[in-house]
Amino acid sequence: METMTPAVAVVGAGPAGLTAAAELARLVDGEVLVLERERVPGGIPRHSDHTGYGLRDLRRVMTGPGYARLLHRRAERAGARILTEATVTRVSDGRELEVTTPSGLVRVEPHALVLATGARERPRPARLITGDRGAGIYTTGHLQNLVHLHHGRPGKRAVIVGAELVSWSAVLTLREAGCRTVLMTTSQPVPESYAAFHLPGRALLRVPVATGTRLVSVEGDAGRVSAVVVEQVGTGRRRRVECDTVVLTGDWIPDHELARGTGLDLDPRSRGPVVDTALRTSRPGVFAAGNLIHPVDTADIAALDGRHVAAAVQRWLGDERMGEVAFDIEVDAPLRWVAPSVVRRGDPPPARGRLLLWTDTLVRSPVVRVHQAGRPLARRRLPWPASPGRVFRVPWSLLARARPDAGPVRLSLAR
Amino acid sequence: MRIHDVAVIGAGVVGCAVARELAAYELDVALVEARDDVGDATSKANTAILHTGFDAAPGTLESRLVPRGYALLSRYAGETGIAVEPTGAVLVAWDDDQLAALPGLRDKAVANGYHAAELVGPDFVYGTVPALGPGALGGMTVPGESIIDPWSTTLAFAYDALARGVGLRLGTRVEAVESGPEFTVLRTSRGDIAARWVVNAAGLGADVIDGHFGHRRFTVTARRGELIVFDTAARPLAPKIVLPVPTSRGKGVLISPTVFGNVMLGPTSEDLPDRTDTSTSEAGIASLLEKGRRIMPSLLEEEITTSYAGLRAATEHGDYVVDVDAGKRYACLGGIRSTGLTASMSIAEHLRDLLDTAGLPLKPRAGLPPPVRVPVLGEASARPYQNDELIRRDAEYGRIVCFCEKVTRGEVRDAFAAPIPPRDLNGLRRRTRATLGRCQGFFCGAEVGRLFDEATGTGD
Ligand SMILES: Cc1cc2nc3c(=O)[nH]c(=O)nc-3n(C[C@H](O)[C@H](O)[C@H](O)COP(=O)(O)OP(=O)(O)OC[C@H]3O[C@@H](n4cnc5c(N)ncnc54)[C@H](O)[C@@H]3O)c2cc1C
Ligand SMILES: Cc1cc2nc3c(=O)[nH]c(=O)nc-3n(C[C@H](O)[C@H](O)[C@H](O)COP(=O)(O)OP(=O)(O)OC[C@H]3O[C@@H](n4cnc5c(N)ncnc54)[C@H](O)[C@@H]3O)c2cc1C
């Protein structure tokens, strides 16, 4: 078996991994090796064939595939080595990787490891949608792979589960493939996607959105979906909607198999690895970035994580002395998770000076309250909503008065 | 018209085992299956346990054939590479009724010739399966209970049968039967098939075929069993099969590891009017989750990978209905309800002996080909993606297409080159595990679909 000993190994060539690699290749002596299991680098944007990528990291707006190519080129130009068709199948209890490639098994022994394996949408069984089995049921990832990378065809009439940003991305993909979206369903009382996108989206695409509903079951005919049953959550009233395609959007789970397998501390609520503001995991020399730690944010934020983690990796390779944990950050319902959730003495603020949070219910004009051991630290009304289906950002400055060793800091929302 | 010596109706695990067995003799055997693949009905959707037979009703045919089948299939699995893991099982008692039932179950095991079962206290139970929920009062160990790959079992029988000269007729439904003095004509959806002897291994359709031969011995009721499959990350929670203790108040559900590294919760038990209804139900899934939460609360925190339903061919009899009508040269294998995977080879052996007695000439075939080797699908041995030497010889085994289940392009290619190639994506799944994992196609669904279209020349 071949052995490689790069300075840094990055697992995953999505926006987070490629940006980290481009940055690291400039910052560190020695090889920066990116391992990507797909044949083409770029992660999810490869098959997300619409505009809306690159805003915050590249200060321009481009399509997903264009963005993927650009990030790939930049990483290579910076000198990173990108190995495709290289699937990391195991991380040792240190930092060593087992990798399957077409030329054989490879063992990678890096000085530092960055996990940037992304997130995926929960499939039908995990959502407990019962009924018949049958072709025509997709997640958005599957659908976009099918349409944009393989030029395959879904059906003619689709029902979409979810009404967040990614759900509208599915509408666009379906439309391009000649499939009409007859209904979007969401359990939320209001659609959860960006208002800016949502309003023209609705007007332009003319898709009815059934709020406060859930998809109960699927009916099939001759091996293909023929209808779904949708229930109004409050009243229990049910109706049947004929369709030949169902797209399950959102409901993200990090692709945490490696992180979990190697025994990193995981956040039980996001299910991604616990990280500090420098994006260190619970194991020295192992870092995490992108949607693996915040399922799910936009690609530019994942990319900026990559930039942020690169600086931390550089410090680690330069024999930094890592500070002790000063405090943990916790959240109260309806907030579900926060990332990063550990703060160490002497560390920089988180990427972009923001904490990333997830909410389970809509709070239009949220007042964020910060407490430490029962002591109020801050209270601020934010000008943006806390909205399910997308990350809620809280400025780091709200934690300015938090003290080391004074217990966990809690964030909650007052209405 | 060609007249076969034997026609076997139904290519489930039982029909395939029978065809393989009979083809070990100088017989011209046809295997006739309504569906487009072997093992596409009940044999694909079960709990995949290789049973010791400790809890069979003593004195029944089933109680004899299950232990014999266990021995035969264990050996055959070793020869062919079918994944088997001898995990053992523990029955767990959650209330006084169940606790009180354990000694009786041990006596029953002994009556069935199974002597290894032992009554154990709660400490032992929790020591064996620490993830069990609170409240277990005691249990009984059944060290022999094992788990097996059910898909490769049926396929191995079918491949062996083909290698021994059996003619497989897929997509061929038997619709009527015409008995004659010398041979029987099966009227099928694809023309007539004539055979001197006919074996009915039609599973859920066995009573209908029996009727075509003028018998009214039993009615098949589809008894649905729903199952939930949890992510491989859950596997450490279930080092053994956790069985319920059956009492007069009903049978609970089990938690079992699978050879693919998942954990299964189920099955339910519910009689259905429709023999083709393999849908899952809200009530069924909800009841499984409720029971599972009690048995192993931490399992419910894990991700659900898939759920499915299988249909047991239940009859009004408490036993297999195995009978040979020598006059009509017709054999019936009915009511093979919930142990047929385990007993497949012993049912075949038993049937061979009955046919022998009934006058079917059995002359061993000379120069039988060696047993096939099936692809490595179980987690207990090194899979192709972990085999450096193999990948260096053939790079296709180093190209993973299904990331969750770690299925390589080489394995997908091999599936299409096998004696019975898959006819649809489900067939490919059973042969390779592709798209069966946690993402259910998010990453690889389109690529696997493309490989399928490419190999079969379908799609656009
Ligand atoms: C349908 C859809 C539409 C979207 N639209 C937009 C949009 O308009 N604008 C926007 O900004 N964002 C959008 N997003 C979000 C954006 O795609 C993600 O935020 C971004 O891709 C996250 O980047 P990442 O690097 O964290 O992960 P990913 O892009 O998921 O990349 C992870 C990479 O890791 C690889 N990998 C995983 N495990 C292994 C392993 N074991 N070995 C080797 N490689 C591995 C994967 O193959 C993948 O290439 C959209 C997402 C979806 C699903
Ligand atoms: C939920 C569940 C859990 C189970 N768990 C276990 C277990 O853990 N261990 C175990 O040993 N067993 C288990 N079983 C039982 C086992 O799965 C069955 O006993 C076994 O699969 C029966 O095989 P078969 O070949 O008789 O039936 P099938 O697999 O149903 O095959 C019958 C075949 O006959 C074909 N057919 C029917 N009518 C016609 C016709 N007219 N013309 C042509 N073809 C026809 C059908 O298409 C089908 O392919 C379980 C069953 C269920 C449902």
Side-chain angles (χ1 to χ4, degrees):
Chain A
M1 191 187 325
E2 191 184 343
T3 301
M4 298 181 182
T5 52
V8 188
V10 177
V11 185
L18 287 175
T19 307
E23 215 51 32
L24 281 162
R26 291 196 297 106
L27 293 176
V28 309
D29 296 331
E31 185 174 59
V32 175
L33 176 67
V34 184
L35 300 155
E36 169 55 53
R37 61 193 181 183
E38 298 277 2
R39 258 176 303 182
V40 179
I44 285 185
R46 275 176 314 133
H47 51 70
S48 185
D49 198 3
H50 56 72
T51 186
Y53 282 87
L55 188 61
R56 297 186 190 83
D57 57 332
L58 304 179
R59 308 249 164 241
R60 55 204 265 201
V61 178
M62 47 199 310
T63 68
Y67 179 71
R69 280 191 299 270
L70 183 61
L71 293 187
H72 175 203
R73 225 171 25 242
R74 287 190 169 200
E76 262 185 352
R77 276 212 200 114
R81 178 171 172 212
I82 300 168
L83 217 56
T84 52
E85 290 190 302
T87 306
V88 180
T89 58
R90 211 177 82 87
V91 180
S92 71
D93 49 17
R95 288 188 290 278
E96 292 73 41
L97 309 177
E98 282 170 27
V99 190
T100 296
T101 79
S103 44
L105 300 187
V106 178
R107 190 180 158 80
V108 178
E109 299 174 353
H111 294 295
L113 172 62
V114 180
L115 298 177
T117 49
R120 67 193 141 84
E121 296 160 300
R122 281 198 173 80
R124 170 191 179 176
R127 302 177 191 227
L128 302 177
I129 298 170
T130 55
D132 293 321
R133 299 167 83 84
I137 306 178
Y138 308 97
T139 46
T140 319
H142 186 174
L143 174 77
Q144 296 194 335
N145 256 302
L146 179 77
V147 172
H148 295 308
L149 296 184
H150 296 288
H151 310 291
R153 301 236 152 263
K156 292 279 167 214
R157 282 172 65 87
V159 169
I160 293 184
V161 177
E164 53 191 80
L165 185 58
V166 58
S167 323
W168 290 99
S169 174
V171 175
L172 292 173
T173 302
L174 288 169
R175 190 174 64 160
E176 194 186 308
C179 179
R180 196 157 68 87
T181 303
V182 295
L183 187 70
M184 290 172 95
T185 72
T186 167
S187 57
Q188 296 293 333
V190 288
E192 53 271 57
S193 76
Y194 289 88
F197 190 84
H198 167 61
L199 292 176
R202 261 179 103 166
L204 222 78
L205 299 165
R206 285 206 197 83
V207 180
V209 181
T211 54
T213 60
R214 70 184 184 100
L215 196 143
V216 179
S217 61
V218 173
E219 291 172 22
D221 186 21
R224 173 138 201 131
V225 174
S226 57
V228 294
V229 175
V230 177
E231 181 183 275
Q232 198 70 38
V233 174
T235 63
R237 235 193 42 234
R238 293 188 171 189
R239 66 172 158 144
R240 198 170 161 275
V241 182
E242 285 188 11
C243 62
D244 57 9
T245 304
V246 179
V247 185
L248 305 169
T249 69
D251 199 353
W252 301 93
I253 170 153
D255 233 357
H256 66 194
E257 182 185 16
L258 294 175
R260 184 169 177 186
T262 183
L264 300 183
D265 288 353
L266 297 189
D267 181 324
R269 306 223 274 170
S270 72
R271 301 192 174 219
V274 170
V275 290
D276 61 25
T277 56
L279 300 180
R280 301 183 198 91
T281 68
S282 58
R283 184 172 306 155
V286 180
F287 300 77
N291 280 344
L292 172 64
I293 54 169
H294 44 72
V296 60
D297 206 340
T298 48
D300 47 4
I301 300 298
L304 290 171
D305 276 358
R307 207 174 284 168
H308 191 71
V309 80
V313 170
Q314 184 193 25
R315 290 196 300 276
W316 157 262
L317 292 174
D319 286 331
E320 77 167 345
R321 287 205 44 211
M322 181 169 70
E324 294 294 313
V325 173
F327 54 86
D328 292 336
I329 311 175
E330 296 168 356
V331 292
D332 287 329
L335 299 173
R336 193 193 300 180
W337 51 255
V338 56
S341 61
V342 175
V343 178
R344 292 176 181 278
R345 285 171 182 275
D347 264 5
R352 302 183 63 242
R354 298 276 195 286
L355 290 173
L356 308 183
L357 293 87
W358 198 259
T359 180
D360 285 322
T361 56
L362 173 71
V363 183
R364 279 184 208 281
S365 183
V367 174
V368 178
R369 292 184 308 182
V370 184
H371 285 81
Q372 189 172 29
R375 192 172 65 95
L377 297 186
R379 184 188 165 90
R380 192 189 301 172
R381 185 179 298 278
L382 294 179
W384 50 83
S387 182
R390 65 182 180 194
V391 162
F392 173 56
R393 301 172 211 291
V394 169
W396 178 243
S397 57
L398 262 78
L399 274 70
R401 293 177 55 215
R403 289 199 313 244
D405 306 322
V409 169
R410 295 195 78 79
L411 300 183
S412 55
L413 293 184
R415 278 155 208 261
Chain B
M1 182 163 43
R2 168 167 173 191
I3 301 171
H4 301 279
D5 294 314
V6 186
V8 179
I9 305 173
V13 70
V14 173
C16 290
V18 166
R20 173 185 170 279
E21 177 65 39
L22 295 180
Y25 301 88
E26 299 269 337
L27 295 171
D28 170 12
V29 180
L31 178 56
V32 185
E33 169 56 51
R35 302 191 184 223
D36 285 335
D37 199 357
V38 301
D40 193 34
T42 301
S43 299
K44 78 175 173 206
N46 51 47
T47 336
I49 295 175
L50 188 55
H51 292 297
T52 56
F54 78 95
D55 62 346
T60 56
L61 179 61
E62 186 176 15
S63 75
R64 276 200 288 133
L65 292 186
V66 171
R68 175 70 184 153
Y70 175 95
L72 290 174
L73 185 49
S74 299
R75 196 176 66 210
Y76 182 68
E79 291 166 2
T80 51
I82 298 166
V84 171
E85 282 187 54
T87 55
V90 55
L91 282 82
V92 180
W94 299 96
D95 60 31
D96 292 332
D97 274 4
Q98 294 177 4
L99 196 63
L102 288 175
L105 280 170
R106 191 200 36 203
D107 296 346
K108 194 176 181 185
V110 171
N112 282 325
Y114 187 76
H115 297 276
E118 271 181 48
L119 300 189
V120 291
D123 291 351
F124 188 92
V125 169
Y126 283 109
T128 319
V129 187
L132 287 175
L137 303 176
M140 182 173 96
T141 59
V142 190
E145 294 282 289
S146 302
I147 54 177
I148 186 166
D149 168 359
W151 302 323
S152 296
T153 302
T154 307
L155 283 167
F157 292 156
Y159 292 160
D160 263 355
L162 258 56
R164 292 172 175 191
V166 169
L168 175 63
R169 309 279 287 267
L170 293 172
T172 308
R173 169 171 294 280
V174 175
E175 288 163 345
V177 171
E178 226 166 274
S179 305
E182 295 292 318
F183 57 86
T184 302
V185 177
L186 305 178
R187 305 250 181 257
T188 81
S189 53
R190 297 228 176 136
D192 292 352
I193 296 172
R196 272 178 265 282
W197 290 77
V198 176
V199 177
N200 170 6
L204 292 160
D207 56 346
V208 176
I209 300 290
D210 208 42
H212 290 325
F213 282 89
H215 291 285
R216 297 270 172 287
R217 291 180 279 199
F218 59 96
T219 313
V220 172
T221 305
R223 186 162 298 161
R224 173 162 67 182
E226 294 178 58
L227 289 136
I228 296 177
V229 181
F230 288 87
D231 192 274
T232 49
R235 174 73 205 255
L237 298 174
K240 284 189 187 312
I241 306 162
V242 178
L243 294 173
V245 179
T247 65
S248 53
R249 289 195 290 121
K251 198 171 176 224
V253 300
L254 61 82
I255 287 175
S256 175
T258 76
V259 293
F260 310 123
N262 300 88
V263 176
M264 213 151 43
L265 169 66
T268 56
S269 180
E270 173 196 6
D271 288 347
L272 293 189
D274 179 356
R275 294 179 185 189
T276 62
D277 184 1
T278 53
S279 63
T280 54
S281 71
E282 286 175 77
I285 296 296
S287 90
L288 287 181
L289 293 175
E290 188 198 314
K291 289 177 175 149
R293 194 160 284 128
R294 164 105 203 253
I295 306 170
M296 194 178 278
S298 48
L299 180 62
L300 280 281
E301 302 297 308
E302 299 292 338
E303 292 293 316
I304 292 174
T305 300
T306 189
S307 55
Y308 62 88
L311 300 174
R312 308 170 186 88
T315 71
E316 54 276 55
H317 308 291
D319 198 359
Y320 298 165
V321 182
V322 176
D323 182 68
V324 175
D325 179 339
K328 291 187 170 142
R329 299 170 318 280
Y330 161 68
C332 176
L333 304 172
I336 319 269
R337 189 183 48 195
S338 43
T339 48
L341 168 62
T342 306
S344 49
M345 292 183 84
S346 54
I347 293 170
E349 185 187 67
H350 178 64
L351 178 72
R352 176 203 66 195
D353 293 346
L354 293 180
L355 290 172
D356 188 18
T357 312
L360 176 70
L362 293 178
K363 182 167 167 254
R365 194 186 291 275
L368 273 191
V372 293
R373 295 289 304 176
V374 294
V376 181
L377 295 187
E379 289 297 309
S381 12
R383 309 250 323 270
Y385 82 89
Q386 297 167 307
N387 189 334
D388 192 42
E389 200 193 301
L390 181 67
I391 299 170
R392 279 170 202 283
R393 263 188 281 131
D394 183 344
E396 292 295 273
Y397 295 112
R399 297 201 159 88
I400 298 182
V401 269
C402 166
F403 304 120
C404 304
E405 298 295 288
K406 313 236 168 25
V407 181
T408 65
R409 220 168 259 271
E411 292 163 277
V412 171
R413 176 201 60 199
D414 294 351
F416 286 105
I420 308 170
R423 302 281 182 98
D424 58 20
L425 277 173
N426 287 320
L428 183 62
R429 291 186 180 114
R430 292 197 291 276
R431 286 160 174 84
T432 62
R433 295 173 52 177
T435 75
L436 278 175
R438 54 174 69 86
C439 93
Q440 294 278 305
F442 181 96
F443 297 114
C444 73
E447 174 72 2
V448 170
R450 187 186 66 78
L451 291 176
F452 182 86
D453 291 346
E454 219 174 70
T456 56
T458 54
D460 41 21

